[in-house]
Amino acid sequence: MYTIGFVSEIITLEEHKILNFEQQISELVYDSRKVSLPEESLFFALTATRDGHDFIPDAYSKGIRSFVVNHITPFLAEKEDVNILIVKDSLLAMQELAKYHRTQFPNPIIGITGSNGKSIVKAWLTQMLSPDKKVYQSPKSYNSQLGVALSLWNLQASYDLAIIEAGISEPGEMDNLEEMVQPNIGILTNIGIAHAQHFENKKAKLEEKLKLFKRTELVIASSKYISKEELPAQASWTSWGVEETDSIQILQQEVQGNQSLLKLNINKEVVDFIIPFTDEASIENVLSCISLLIYLDYSISIIQDRILALKPLEMRLQLKKGIANSSIIDDSYSNDLASLKISLNFLQQQNQHQKRTLILSDMDGLKENNKLQHKLVDLLNTQALDRLVWVGEKYAFLEDIHIKEKNLYPDTSSFIKDLSNLVFENESILVKGARIYQFEQIVERLGLRSHGTVLDINLNALTNNLMVYRSLIPPHVKLMTMVKAFSYGSGSFEVANLLQFSKVDYLTVAFADEGVDLRMAGISLPIMVLSPDADTFESLIKYNLEPEVYSMRFLKEFLLFLQDRNIQDYKIHLKLDTGMHRLGFFPEEIPEVVDVLKKQNLVRVQSFFTHLVASGDPNQDDFTKYQINTYSEAAQILREGLGYSFIRHVANTSGIVRWPEAHFDMVRLGIGLYGVDMDRKLENLEQVSTLRTTVTQLKDLKAGETVGYDRKGVLLRDSKIATVKIGYADGYNRRFGMGVGKMEIHGQQTATVGSICMDMCMLDVTGLEVREGDEVIVFPNVMQAAKDVGTIPYELLVNISGRVKRVYYYE
Ligand SMILES: *Cc1c(COP(=O)(O)O)cnc(C)c1O
């Protein structure tokens, strides 16, 4: 641990004001919402998408007193009790600190980069090395400029080895990462297409990645991806691949059931490995692992055993529905302080239940490490937790954790045996355990089962997309996000919790009921209701939902209602019809609206808006301009008539991208948030939802036989047919039948055969590598799928039936 005085010597300062040079610093904080040990925290005001300087008061209110800033803020200038370090660039300052800390680490560091597989190789290496080494791995996907600095900060000399992931999205980033990590050994997992758009070509991207290996003694990589000339001169190379010159040569590779057999030539010795996976990506990742263990002098027989024990690993935290209306956060694959913090943070974001339970296992190294024990106690004491279930040794320090209800168990099976005596209902439950505790057994008992078809919602992608659109609008423009229709099929409070945490300004639903559901789930953001009805006025008021007001009839009805209840200044959103001809006042009605509004104080116009009918269609740009102009004029008249200002908003997703002049005071983000880029203009949107199902049965059929109802699917050749568990009741449209629907199994394309049934359909998998139980991606390309059945992605997404389980994950 460093003192602030010491930190001030390590980083390049412009100026400083230090009250207490001896103040200990153990935590680096950049997000004022994520504070666990305020006294020992150093807050870095970063200026990425949002200006961290704006969050200094919040950090201060949570007890943080030490700050690294680019400039002094009025708030800080007034405070007497703070340490302030002023630097040119606060991110660079954090990196300087991380770099210094890294140079204090005496043992080898393995740096991993590549387009895919970084996290999995990191996790597998940890699994394989842990029986005899103390391994540090950078948490989750902390692989960016910021993430790597934070990962390095957590390094401690007691580790035998550290594995750090480095990811880049733009040219020029790797030099900086290399400076910090200074890896001794480098692993290049693979080179794919991820992030390719910023790079001129594959070669430029590869060159950038290889910069991580500037001073490594060894590089592990396939000869598929690089050649000797491309490597830095000082590095030796363990290459794997099919070439005779490869250090590890693949002689034979074949699938046997649900395993693969790999025959390798290692130092002129032929060795067989059984690998518990069949997909190409996993095999590549295993080859990286084998290469490193051989370099570290592990015997072949130990490597064979440990490879066989590898588990397909979910490197991610999942939120799913649990028994008795509970929510389960499943993070049962690793346990250390850094990842526990991330998961607890996610637990605190859940507003849907009052009660929060943590089921936690013992941690590696906890027994011997007093400091770690203190940190754990401090961390848990800052959390709003109602119950702790502890599985592991009964340490004395557990007494110091102030949580109302504590249940201690020596091991997982005794906890499971006692489950019938415990009540879990209406609560959020974080299940966080080290792998050896096999907490997946607990999740299995507390979670609701899914029936083979699941909609995966990637919350990281959602956050990413939010940032992408935020970066397109000026900072003063507010962001309204559309969560109507179950958030375009992605879920209600689960998505809203994240949006609330991400500090969007407004949520919008279609009907009052949807708003009520969000309020019941603890969402406190302002909510606009697009299509309110007179019979829901009561719930609007009760749940503080703000209606769209679209006609004189509706306005008068609402005013009468408010008068009856003696309510004043209720917020409403006036809708103008500039061409959609759905709901809204015509521009010529605005003077009359002003007249009515001026005579009362029951409602107040919170916002005034219109909807663009074809913001994404270049052929209609003249009409869009006409709409924007009409709106502007009407807004002017309304503003002058009312004598006060209101939020003006026009742009939906395509409007945000294509019509900067329509951003006004707020934008309404819809489909883009969910990762569908209707305009095909944005490079860094990520797909949010993936509909997955499974193969239930395989059949070999002869040419001339038929598949499905009415004998519609006539086979023209001998065929292999797979039945999968999705049908039109799940929202898989019947128009996808007869080969129109395309699905994907391990990256292989297949098409439907015959008609779509209610709960199932059949795929033609002739000639493909498919087994029963295999996973199937239903919409490999949702834009194309929509086109194939003559609709738009919106419809496919919102039609995914409620009976399809949603699983939210977060890395
Ligand atoms: C649905 C909706 C939006 C969002 O549209 P996207 O095209 O999904 O961005 C914006 N405004 C209104 C009034 C809507 O109904």
PDB file of all heavy atoms in Angstrom, residues 528 547-551 555 572-576 584-585 590 593-594 597 603-610 631 638 642 646-647 649:
ATOM      1  N   MET A 528     -42.244   8.660 -19.123  1.00  0.00           N
ATOM      2  CA  MET A 528     -43.293   9.188 -19.994  1.00  0.00           C
ATOM      3  C   MET A 528     -44.118   8.017 -20.534  1.00  0.00           C
ATOM      4  O   MET A 528     -43.566   6.972 -20.869  1.00  0.00           O
ATOM      5  CB  MET A 528     -42.654   9.967 -21.164  1.00  0.00           C
ATOM      6  CG  MET A 528     -43.655  10.468 -22.180  1.00  0.00           C
ATOM      7  SD  MET A 528     -42.932  11.628 -23.379  1.00  0.00           S
ATOM      8  CE  MET A 528     -42.530  10.539 -24.731  1.00  0.00           C
ATOM      9  N   PRO A 547     -48.020  11.545 -18.654  1.00  0.00           N
ATOM     10  CA  PRO A 547     -48.679  11.155 -19.913  1.00  0.00           C
ATOM     11  C   PRO A 547     -48.273  12.004 -21.102  1.00  0.00           C
ATOM     12  O   PRO A 547     -47.967  13.190 -20.960  1.00  0.00           O
ATOM     13  CB  PRO A 547     -50.157  11.385 -19.595  1.00  0.00           C
ATOM     14  CG  PRO A 547     -50.160  12.495 -18.599  1.00  0.00           C
ATOM     15  CD  PRO A 547     -48.911  12.306 -17.773  1.00  0.00           C
ATOM     16  N   GLU A 548     -48.292  11.381 -22.266  1.00  0.00           N
ATOM     17  CA  GLU A 548     -48.299  12.132 -23.520  1.00  0.00           C
ATOM     18  C   GLU A 548     -49.723  12.670 -23.677  1.00  0.00           C
ATOM     19  O   GLU A 548     -50.689  11.932 -23.506  1.00  0.00           O
ATOM     20  CB  GLU A 548     -47.961  11.193 -24.686  1.00  0.00           C
ATOM     21  CG  GLU A 548     -48.294  11.784 -26.048  1.00  0.00           C
ATOM     22  CD  GLU A 548     -48.016  10.810 -27.208  1.00  0.00           C
ATOM     23  OE1 GLU A 548     -47.071  10.003 -27.121  1.00  0.00           O
ATOM     24  OE2 GLU A 548     -48.768  10.858 -28.195  1.00  0.00           O
ATOM     25  N   VAL A 549     -49.818  13.940 -24.033  1.00  0.00           N
ATOM     26  CA  VAL A 549     -51.136  14.540 -24.258  1.00  0.00           C
ATOM     27  C   VAL A 549     -51.221  14.879 -25.734  1.00  0.00           C
ATOM     28  O   VAL A 549     -50.396  15.632 -26.245  1.00  0.00           O
ATOM     29  CB  VAL A 549     -51.323  15.782 -23.375  1.00  0.00           C
ATOM     30  CG1 VAL A 549     -52.575  16.551 -23.779  1.00  0.00           C
ATOM     31  CG2 VAL A 549     -51.411  15.368 -21.910  1.00  0.00           C
ATOM     32  N   TYR A 550     -52.202  14.299 -26.428  1.00  0.00           N
ATOM     33  CA  TYR A 550     -52.170  14.334 -27.888  1.00  0.00           C
ATOM     34  C   TYR A 550     -53.394  14.949 -28.536  1.00  0.00           C
ATOM     35  O   TYR A 550     -53.441  15.101 -29.758  1.00  0.00           O
ATOM     36  CB  TYR A 550     -51.968  12.913 -28.431  1.00  0.00           C
ATOM     37  CG  TYR A 550     -52.961  11.925 -27.854  1.00  0.00           C
ATOM     38  CD1 TYR A 550     -54.216  11.767 -28.414  1.00  0.00           C
ATOM     39  CD2 TYR A 550     -52.638  11.194 -26.713  1.00  0.00           C
ATOM     40  CE1 TYR A 550     -55.130  10.884 -27.870  1.00  0.00           C
ATOM     41  CE2 TYR A 550     -53.556  10.312 -26.156  1.00  0.00           C
ATOM     42  CZ  TYR A 550     -54.790  10.155 -26.742  1.00  0.00           C
ATOM     43  OH  TYR A 550     -55.685   9.292 -26.185  1.00  0.00           O
ATOM     44  N   SER A 551     -54.444  15.249 -27.750  1.00  0.00           N
ATOM     45  CA  SER A 551     -55.633  15.844 -28.376  1.00  0.00           C
ATOM     46  C   SER A 551     -56.363  16.707 -27.364  1.00  0.00           C
ATOM     47  O   SER A 551     -56.179  16.570 -26.157  1.00  0.00           O
ATOM     48  CB  SER A 551     -56.580  14.761 -28.895  1.00  0.00           C
ATOM     49  OG  SER A 551     -57.246  14.154 -27.798  1.00  0.00           O
ATOM     50  N   LEU A 555     -56.857  16.205 -23.387  1.00  0.00           N
ATOM     51  CA  LEU A 555     -56.354  17.230 -22.474  1.00  0.00           C
ATOM     52  C   LEU A 555     -57.452  17.630 -21.489  1.00  0.00           C
ATOM     53  O   LEU A 555     -57.243  17.691 -20.281  1.00  0.00           O
ATOM     54  CB  LEU A 555     -55.868  18.451 -23.270  1.00  0.00           C
ATOM     55  CG  LEU A 555     -55.433  19.663 -22.441  1.00  0.00           C
ATOM     56  CD1 LEU A 555     -54.284  19.317 -21.510  1.00  0.00           C
ATOM     57  CD2 LEU A 555     -55.003  20.825 -23.359  1.00  0.00           C
ATOM     58  N   ILE A 572     -46.900  17.058 -18.048  1.00  0.00           N
ATOM     59  CA  ILE A 572     -47.416  16.385 -19.245  1.00  0.00           C
ATOM     60  C   ILE A 572     -46.467  16.622 -20.413  1.00  0.00           C
ATOM     61  O   ILE A 572     -45.622  17.513 -20.378  1.00  0.00           O
ATOM     62  CB  ILE A 572     -48.825  16.892 -19.643  1.00  0.00           C
ATOM     63  CG1 ILE A 572     -48.783  18.402 -19.907  1.00  0.00           C
ATOM     64  CG2 ILE A 572     -49.844  16.558 -18.584  1.00  0.00           C
ATOM     65  CD1 ILE A 572     -50.000  18.920 -20.639  1.00  0.00           C
ATOM     66  N   HIS A 573     -46.601  15.779 -21.422  1.00  0.00           N
ATOM     67  CA  HIS A 573     -45.767  15.873 -22.616  1.00  0.00           C
ATOM     68  C   HIS A 573     -46.677  16.067 -23.819  1.00  0.00           C
ATOM     69  O   HIS A 573     -47.452  15.175 -24.153  1.00  0.00           O
ATOM     70  CB  HIS A 573     -44.926  14.601 -22.759  1.00  0.00           C
ATOM     71  CG  HIS A 573     -44.045  14.368 -21.581  1.00  0.00           C
ATOM     72  ND1 HIS A 573     -42.737  14.790 -21.514  1.00  0.00           N
ATOM     73  CD2 HIS A 573     -44.295  13.789 -20.380  1.00  0.00           C
ATOM     74  CE1 HIS A 573     -42.217  14.474 -20.339  1.00  0.00           C
ATOM     75  NE2 HIS A 573     -43.145  13.860 -19.627  1.00  0.00           N
ATOM     76  N   LEU A 574     -46.580  17.216 -24.431  1.00  0.00           N
ATOM     77  CA  LEU A 574     -47.450  17.518 -25.567  1.00  0.00           C
ATOM     78  C   LEU A 574     -46.871  16.942 -26.838  1.00  0.00           C
ATOM     79  O   LEU A 574     -45.686  17.116 -27.129  1.00  0.00           O
ATOM     80  CB  LEU A 574     -47.584  19.034 -25.754  1.00  0.00           C
ATOM     81  CG  LEU A 574     -48.477  19.824 -24.804  1.00  0.00           C
ATOM     82  CD1 LEU A 574     -48.533  21.269 -25.276  1.00  0.00           C
ATOM     83  CD2 LEU A 574     -49.878  19.216 -24.756  1.00  0.00           C
ATOM     84  N   LYS A 575     -47.730  16.282 -27.604  1.00  0.00           N
ATOM     85  CA  LYS A 575     -47.268  15.653 -28.839  1.00  0.00           C
ATOM     86  C   LYS A 575     -47.817  16.411 -30.041  1.00  0.00           C
ATOM     87  O   LYS A 575     -49.013  16.687 -30.119  1.00  0.00           O
ATOM     88  CB  LYS A 575     -47.783  14.195 -28.844  1.00  0.00           C
ATOM     89  CG  LYS A 575     -47.578  13.442 -30.138  1.00  0.00           C
ATOM     90  CD  LYS A 575     -46.120  13.037 -30.321  1.00  0.00           C
ATOM     91  CE  LYS A 575     -45.950  11.830 -31.231  1.00  0.00           C
ATOM     92  NZ  LYS A 575     -46.464  10.591 -30.681  1.00  0.00           N
ATOM     93  N   LEU A 576     -46.924  16.714 -30.963  1.00  0.00           N
ATOM     94  CA  LEU A 576     -47.312  17.419 -32.184  1.00  0.00           C
ATOM     95  C   LEU A 576     -47.300  16.441 -33.347  1.00  0.00           C
ATOM     96  O   LEU A 576     -46.367  15.658 -33.499  1.00  0.00           O
ATOM     97  CB  LEU A 576     -46.310  18.550 -32.452  1.00  0.00           C
ATOM     98  CG  LEU A 576     -46.636  19.467 -33.629  1.00  0.00           C
ATOM     99  CD1 LEU A 576     -47.784  20.405 -33.261  1.00  0.00           C
ATOM    100  CD2 LEU A 576     -45.407  20.279 -34.036  1.00  0.00           C
ATOM    101  N   GLY A 584     -51.454  13.128 -31.861  1.00  0.00           N
ATOM    102  CA  GLY A 584     -50.822  14.439 -31.755  1.00  0.00           C
ATOM    103  C   GLY A 584     -51.706  15.574 -32.222  1.00  0.00           C
ATOM    104  O   GLY A 584     -52.643  15.361 -32.999  1.00  0.00           O
ATOM    105  N   PHE A 585     -51.395  16.773 -31.728  1.00  0.00           N
ATOM    106  CA  PHE A 585     -52.093  17.982 -32.179  1.00  0.00           C
ATOM    107  C   PHE A 585     -51.533  18.403 -33.521  1.00  0.00           C
ATOM    108  O   PHE A 585     -50.326  18.278 -33.767  1.00  0.00           O
ATOM    109  CB  PHE A 585     -51.836  19.132 -31.196  1.00  0.00           C
ATOM    110  CG  PHE A 585     -52.462  18.930 -29.842  1.00  0.00           C
ATOM    111  CD1 PHE A 585     -51.707  18.439 -28.782  1.00  0.00           C
ATOM    112  CD2 PHE A 585     -53.805  19.240 -29.626  1.00  0.00           C
ATOM    113  CE1 PHE A 585     -52.278  18.261 -27.528  1.00  0.00           C
ATOM    114  CE2 PHE A 585     -54.377  19.065 -28.372  1.00  0.00           C
ATOM    115  CZ  PHE A 585     -53.607  18.569 -27.319  1.00  0.00           C
ATOM    116  N   ILE A 590     -52.136  24.570 -31.984  1.00  0.00           N
ATOM    117  CA  ILE A 590     -51.296  24.997 -30.861  1.00  0.00           C
ATOM    118  C   ILE A 590     -51.795  26.280 -30.170  1.00  0.00           C
ATOM    119  O   ILE A 590     -51.849  26.339 -28.941  1.00  0.00           O
ATOM    120  CB  ILE A 590     -49.812  25.101 -31.294  1.00  0.00           C
ATOM    121  CG1 ILE A 590     -49.278  23.701 -31.654  1.00  0.00           C
ATOM    122  CG2 ILE A 590     -48.938  25.699 -30.193  1.00  0.00           C
ATOM    123  CD1 ILE A 590     -49.370  22.666 -30.535  1.00  0.00           C
ATOM    124  N   VAL A 593     -54.396  25.303 -27.825  1.00  0.00           N
ATOM    125  CA  VAL A 593     -53.814  24.591 -26.689  1.00  0.00           C
ATOM    126  C   VAL A 593     -53.249  25.600 -25.689  1.00  0.00           C
ATOM    127  O   VAL A 593     -53.453  25.489 -24.474  1.00  0.00           O
ATOM    128  CB  VAL A 593     -52.695  23.625 -27.165  1.00  0.00           C
ATOM    129  CG1 VAL A 593     -51.971  23.012 -25.974  1.00  0.00           C
ATOM    130  CG2 VAL A 593     -53.264  22.544 -28.060  1.00  0.00           C
ATOM    131  N   VAL A 594     -52.558  26.618 -26.238  1.00  0.00           N
ATOM    132  CA  VAL A 594     -51.998  27.651 -25.373  1.00  0.00           C
ATOM    133  C   VAL A 594     -53.110  28.312 -24.558  1.00  0.00           C
ATOM    134  O   VAL A 594     -52.984  28.478 -23.341  1.00  0.00           O
ATOM    135  CB  VAL A 594     -51.230  28.703 -26.216  1.00  0.00           C
ATOM    136  CG1 VAL A 594     -50.875  29.916 -25.360  1.00  0.00           C
ATOM    137  CG2 VAL A 594     -49.974  28.087 -26.821  1.00  0.00           C
ATOM    138  N   LEU A 597     -54.223  26.058 -21.787  1.00  0.00           N
ATOM    139  CA  LEU A 597     -53.203  25.847 -20.751  1.00  0.00           C
ATOM    140  C   LEU A 597     -52.988  27.110 -19.908  1.00  0.00           C
ATOM    141  O   LEU A 597     -52.705  27.023 -18.716  1.00  0.00           O
ATOM    142  CB  LEU A 597     -51.885  25.405 -21.388  1.00  0.00           C
ATOM    143  CG  LEU A 597     -51.907  23.996 -21.978  1.00  0.00           C
ATOM    144  CD1 LEU A 597     -50.575  23.676 -22.651  1.00  0.00           C
ATOM    145  CD2 LEU A 597     -52.203  22.950 -20.898  1.00  0.00           C
ATOM    146  N   VAL A 603     -51.871  21.391 -14.936  1.00  0.00           N
ATOM    147  CA  VAL A 603     -50.757  20.712 -15.610  1.00  0.00           C
ATOM    148  C   VAL A 603     -49.707  21.734 -16.017  1.00  0.00           C
ATOM    149  O   VAL A 603     -49.980  22.928 -16.129  1.00  0.00           O
ATOM    150  CB  VAL A 603     -51.198  19.951 -16.880  1.00  0.00           C
ATOM    151  CG1 VAL A 603     -52.189  18.858 -16.557  1.00  0.00           C
ATOM    152  CG2 VAL A 603     -51.755  20.911 -17.917  1.00  0.00           C
ATOM    153  N   ARG A 604     -48.521  21.189 -16.242  1.00  0.00           N
ATOM    154  CA  ARG A 604     -47.428  22.012 -16.715  1.00  0.00           C
ATOM    155  C   ARG A 604     -46.750  21.236 -17.849  1.00  0.00           C
ATOM    156  O   ARG A 604     -46.563  20.018 -17.745  1.00  0.00           O
ATOM    157  CB  ARG A 604     -46.447  22.212 -15.559  1.00  0.00           C
ATOM    158  CG  ARG A 604     -45.389  23.237 -15.848  1.00  0.00           C
ATOM    159  CD  ARG A 604     -44.405  23.328 -14.687  1.00  0.00           C
ATOM    160  NE  ARG A 604     -43.183  23.938 -15.190  1.00  0.00           N
ATOM    161  CZ  ARG A 604     -43.008  25.255 -15.269  1.00  0.00           C
ATOM    162  NH1 ARG A 604     -43.927  26.087 -14.855  1.00  0.00           N
ATOM    163  NH2 ARG A 604     -41.872  25.729 -15.776  1.00  0.00           N
ATOM    164  N   VAL A 605     -46.419  21.932 -18.920  1.00  0.00           N
ATOM    165  CA  VAL A 605     -45.796  21.242 -20.053  1.00  0.00           C
ATOM    166  C   VAL A 605     -44.330  20.946 -19.723  1.00  0.00           C
ATOM    167  O   VAL A 605     -43.516  21.852 -19.622  1.00  0.00           O
ATOM    168  CB  VAL A 605     -45.889  22.090 -21.345  1.00  0.00           C
ATOM    169  CG1 VAL A 605     -45.200  21.367 -22.495  1.00  0.00           C
ATOM    170  CG2 VAL A 605     -47.349  22.367 -21.682  1.00  0.00           C
ATOM    171  N   GLN A 606     -44.047  19.702 -19.532  1.00  0.00           N
ATOM    172  CA  GLN A 606     -42.672  19.285 -19.228  1.00  0.00           C
ATOM    173  C   GLN A 606     -41.870  19.182 -20.521  1.00  0.00           C
ATOM    174  O   GLN A 606     -40.702  19.506 -20.570  1.00  0.00           O
ATOM    175  CB  GLN A 606     -42.717  17.935 -18.498  1.00  0.00           C
ATOM    176  CG  GLN A 606     -41.383  17.247 -18.297  1.00  0.00           C
ATOM    177  CD  GLN A 606     -40.555  17.938 -17.228  1.00  0.00           C
ATOM    178  OE1 GLN A 606     -40.980  18.926 -16.640  1.00  0.00           O
ATOM    179  NE2 GLN A 606     -39.348  17.430 -16.998  1.00  0.00           N
ATOM    180  N   SER A 607     -42.572  18.689 -21.563  1.00  0.00           N
ATOM    181  CA  SER A 607     -41.875  18.607 -22.843  1.00  0.00           C
ATOM    182  C   SER A 607     -42.865  18.711 -23.996  1.00  0.00           C
ATOM    183  O   SER A 607     -44.071  18.528 -23.823  1.00  0.00           O
ATOM    184  CB  SER A 607     -41.058  17.315 -22.953  1.00  0.00           C
ATOM    185  OG  SER A 607     -41.839  16.265 -23.483  1.00  0.00           O
ATOM    186  N   PHE A 608     -42.315  19.013 -25.153  1.00  0.00           N
ATOM    187  CA  PHE A 608     -43.099  19.159 -26.375  1.00  0.00           C
ATOM    188  C   PHE A 608     -42.343  18.393 -27.452  1.00  0.00           C
ATOM    189  O   PHE A 608     -41.150  18.611 -27.642  1.00  0.00           O
ATOM    190  CB  PHE A 608     -43.187  20.654 -26.726  1.00  0.00           C
ATOM    191  CG  PHE A 608     -43.938  20.937 -28.005  1.00  0.00           C
ATOM    192  CD1 PHE A 608     -45.241  20.498 -28.188  1.00  0.00           C
ATOM    193  CD2 PHE A 608     -43.334  21.681 -29.027  1.00  0.00           C
ATOM    194  CE1 PHE A 608     -45.940  20.799 -29.365  1.00  0.00           C
ATOM    195  CE2 PHE A 608     -44.027  21.977 -30.203  1.00  0.00           C
ATOM    196  CZ  PHE A 608     -45.333  21.530 -30.372  1.00  0.00           C
ATOM    197  N   PHE A 609     -43.031  17.475 -28.126  1.00  0.00           N
ATOM    198  CA  PHE A 609     -42.281  16.633 -29.058  1.00  0.00           C
ATOM    199  C   PHE A 609     -43.078  16.213 -30.281  1.00  0.00           C
ATOM    200  O   PHE A 609     -44.288  16.367 -30.333  1.00  0.00           O
ATOM    201  CB  PHE A 609     -41.726  15.406 -28.343  1.00  0.00           C
ATOM    202  CG  PHE A 609     -42.729  14.355 -27.947  1.00  0.00           C
ATOM    203  CD1 PHE A 609     -42.725  13.106 -28.564  1.00  0.00           C
ATOM    204  CD2 PHE A 609     -43.659  14.589 -26.940  1.00  0.00           C
ATOM    205  CE1 PHE A 609     -43.633  12.112 -28.189  1.00  0.00           C
ATOM    206  CE2 PHE A 609     -44.580  13.608 -26.557  1.00  0.00           C
ATOM    207  CZ  PHE A 609     -44.558  12.366 -27.181  1.00  0.00           C
ATOM    208  N   THR A 610     -42.344  15.730 -31.274  1.00  0.00           N
ATOM    209  CA  THR A 610     -42.977  15.148 -32.451  1.00  0.00           C
ATOM    210  C   THR A 610     -42.166  13.930 -32.863  1.00  0.00           C
ATOM    211  O   THR A 610     -41.081  13.684 -32.317  1.00  0.00           O
ATOM    212  CB  THR A 610     -43.066  16.163 -33.612  1.00  0.00           C
ATOM    213  OG1 THR A 610     -43.940  15.623 -34.620  1.00  0.00           O
ATOM    214  CG2 THR A 610     -41.705  16.420 -34.245  1.00  0.00           C
ATOM    215  N   TYR A 631     -42.049  21.588 -36.710  1.00  0.00           N
ATOM    216  CA  TYR A 631     -41.940  21.420 -35.256  1.00  0.00           C
ATOM    217  C   TYR A 631     -41.334  22.677 -34.612  1.00  0.00           C
ATOM    218  O   TYR A 631     -41.853  23.203 -33.626  1.00  0.00           O
ATOM    219  CB  TYR A 631     -41.109  20.192 -34.917  1.00  0.00           C
ATOM    220  CG  TYR A 631     -40.780  20.133 -33.446  1.00  0.00           C
ATOM    221  CD1 TYR A 631     -41.720  19.658 -32.522  1.00  0.00           C
ATOM    222  CD2 TYR A 631     -39.558  20.589 -32.961  1.00  0.00           C
ATOM    223  CE1 TYR A 631     -41.441  19.656 -31.165  1.00  0.00           C
ATOM    224  CE2 TYR A 631     -39.273  20.588 -31.606  1.00  0.00           C
ATOM    225  CZ  TYR A 631     -40.220  20.120 -30.713  1.00  0.00           C
ATOM    226  OH  TYR A 631     -39.949  20.122 -29.374  1.00  0.00           O
ATOM    227  N   LEU A 638     -45.535  27.902 -29.003  1.00  0.00           N
ATOM    228  CA  LEU A 638     -45.908  27.366 -27.689  1.00  0.00           C
ATOM    229  C   LEU A 638     -45.103  28.052 -26.582  1.00  0.00           C
ATOM    230  O   LEU A 638     -45.641  28.456 -25.554  1.00  0.00           O
ATOM    231  CB  LEU A 638     -45.671  25.852 -27.673  1.00  0.00           C
ATOM    232  CG  LEU A 638     -46.121  25.116 -26.403  1.00  0.00           C
ATOM    233  CD1 LEU A 638     -47.638  25.143 -26.266  1.00  0.00           C
ATOM    234  CD2 LEU A 638     -45.617  23.675 -26.392  1.00  0.00           C
ATOM    235  N   LEU A 642     -46.876  30.153 -23.693  1.00  0.00           N
ATOM    236  CA  LEU A 642     -46.896  29.676 -22.308  1.00  0.00           C
ATOM    237  C   LEU A 642     -46.092  30.581 -21.372  1.00  0.00           C
ATOM    238  O   LEU A 642     -46.383  30.690 -20.190  1.00  0.00           O
ATOM    239  CB  LEU A 642     -46.320  28.262 -22.224  1.00  0.00           C
ATOM    240  CG  LEU A 642     -47.157  27.144 -22.835  1.00  0.00           C
ATOM    241  CD1 LEU A 642     -46.420  25.810 -22.720  1.00  0.00           C
ATOM    242  CD2 LEU A 642     -48.516  27.050 -22.156  1.00  0.00           C
ATOM    243  N   PHE A 646     -39.666  24.449 -21.979  1.00  0.00           N
ATOM    244  CA  PHE A 646     -39.929  23.024 -21.771  1.00  0.00           C
ATOM    245  C   PHE A 646     -38.890  22.265 -22.583  1.00  0.00           C
ATOM    246  O   PHE A 646     -38.177  22.860 -23.394  1.00  0.00           O
ATOM    247  CB  PHE A 646     -41.349  22.678 -22.258  1.00  0.00           C
ATOM    248  CG  PHE A 646     -41.733  23.423 -23.505  1.00  0.00           C
ATOM    249  CD1 PHE A 646     -41.261  23.002 -24.747  1.00  0.00           C
ATOM    250  CD2 PHE A 646     -42.505  24.588 -23.449  1.00  0.00           C
ATOM    251  CE1 PHE A 646     -41.568  23.704 -25.899  1.00  0.00           C
ATOM    252  CE2 PHE A 646     -42.813  25.299 -24.617  1.00  0.00           C
ATOM    253  CZ  PHE A 646     -42.342  24.863 -25.838  1.00  0.00           C
ATOM    254  N   ILE A 647     -38.811  20.959 -22.360  1.00  0.00           N
ATOM    255  CA  ILE A 647     -37.847  20.145 -23.109  1.00  0.00           C
ATOM    256  C   ILE A 647     -38.392  19.915 -24.519  1.00  0.00           C
ATOM    257  O   ILE A 647     -39.544  19.500 -24.674  1.00  0.00           O
ATOM    258  CB  ILE A 647     -37.638  18.783 -22.423  1.00  0.00           C
ATOM    259  CG1 ILE A 647     -37.200  18.967 -20.964  1.00  0.00           C
ATOM    260  CG2 ILE A 647     -36.629  17.943 -23.175  1.00  0.00           C
ATOM    261  CD1 ILE A 647     -37.178  17.667 -20.170  1.00  0.00           C
ATOM    262  N   HIS A 649     -38.052  17.774 -28.001  1.00  0.00           N
ATOM    263  CA  HIS A 649     -37.406  16.568 -28.533  1.00  0.00           C
ATOM    264  C   HIS A 649     -38.098  16.010 -29.764  1.00  0.00           C
ATOM    265  O   HIS A 649     -39.319  16.044 -29.860  1.00  0.00           O
ATOM    266  CB  HIS A 649     -37.236  15.481 -27.461  1.00  0.00           C
ATOM    267  CG  HIS A 649     -38.461  15.160 -26.645  1.00  0.00           C
ATOM    268  ND1 HIS A 649     -39.057  13.937 -26.680  1.00  0.00           N
ATOM    269  CD2 HIS A 649     -39.178  15.902 -25.771  1.00  0.00           C
ATOM    270  CE1 HIS A 649     -40.089  13.929 -25.836  1.00  0.00           C
ATOM    271  NE2 HIS A 649     -40.187  15.108 -25.273  1.00  0.00           N
TER     272      HIS A 649
END
